[in-house]
Amino acid sequence: MRELDPLEHEEIFFQEMRRRIPELQDWYHQDPDGGPWMLVSYDFVEGNAVRETLRVDYDGTQLRGGWSPSCLNWDDGVRAAEALIDTGPPDGLSIDLASDPREVAAIAAAWFEAHIERWNRRP
C-alpha cells in the first residue's frame, strides 16, 4: 500500500464510482518503478463470509478488472495481469483509455453494477 494521498484523477474516479455504488472499497499502490495505481473492489457476502471479490485496477491510462482469485487475500497490491486475473469477456474488463476520470468511472461502475445485478439474481 502506498503512503501517499490519492492523486486527483484517482480521487475523482473513486468518488464518482462510490456515488453510484457506496459499498466499493479503494486501495492505493505503487509499481516497483514508483508508478501509482489504485484498486477498487466489491465483496460479495453471504452470511458473514466474503464469497467472491470483484476488482478493477486503474492507473489513469488503463482499466483492468475481473474476479479476484483470493478475495484480495494475496492479490491486493498485485496488478491484475500479474495475478493472472481473466480480464477478457464475458466477466472481465480491459480498456486502454485517455479520458476524463468521470467517464472512466461510469464505465467501471456500470461493469460493477452488471455483476452485482447478476449475483443478486442467482437462485
Side-chain angles (χ1 to χ4, degrees):
M1 194 86 69
R2 74 177 196 237
E3 299 198 13
L4 304 172
D5 289 334
L7 301 174
E8 182 179 8
H9 70 275
E10 293 171 330
E11 183 81 25
I12 292 167
F13 174 78
F14 185 67
Q15 291 308 318
E16 183 62 24
M17 288 187 64
R18 192 123 189 230
R19 186 181 64 75
R20 292 175 61 167
I21 309 168
E23 302 84 7
L24 291 173
Q25 298 177 26
D26 54 334
W27 315 93
Y28 299 89
H29 302 287
Q30 278 182 280
D31 289 327
D33 68 1
W37 63 282
M38 68 179 298
L39 187 154
V40 177
S41 65
Y42 182 90
D43 292 331
F44 293 85
V45 178
E46 290 180 332
N48 291 327
V50 174
R51 298 295 180 199
E52 298 281 346
T53 299
L54 196 61
R55 61 172 275 173
V56 69
D57 299 3
Y58 173 63
D59 64 9
T61 62
Q62 297 180 340
L63 273 178
R64 299 289 186 264
W67 294 103
S68 167
S70 69
C71 298
L72 298 184
N73 286 317
W74 67 262
D75 62 306
D76 178 31
V78 179
R79 290 237 193 193
E82 294 171 41
L84 302 178
I85 292 172
D86 183 358
T87 61
D91 282 341
L93 179 66
S94 181
I95 299 174
D96 294 331
L97 39 94
S99 59
D100 183 285
R102 287 172 192 81
E103 293 172 20
V104 177
I107 293 167
W111 178 76
F112 272 103
E113 288 167 338
H115 283 19
I116 293 166
E117 183 179 316
R118 262 189 307 234
W119 177 273
N120 290 334
R121 285 194 324 244
R122 293 178 308 119

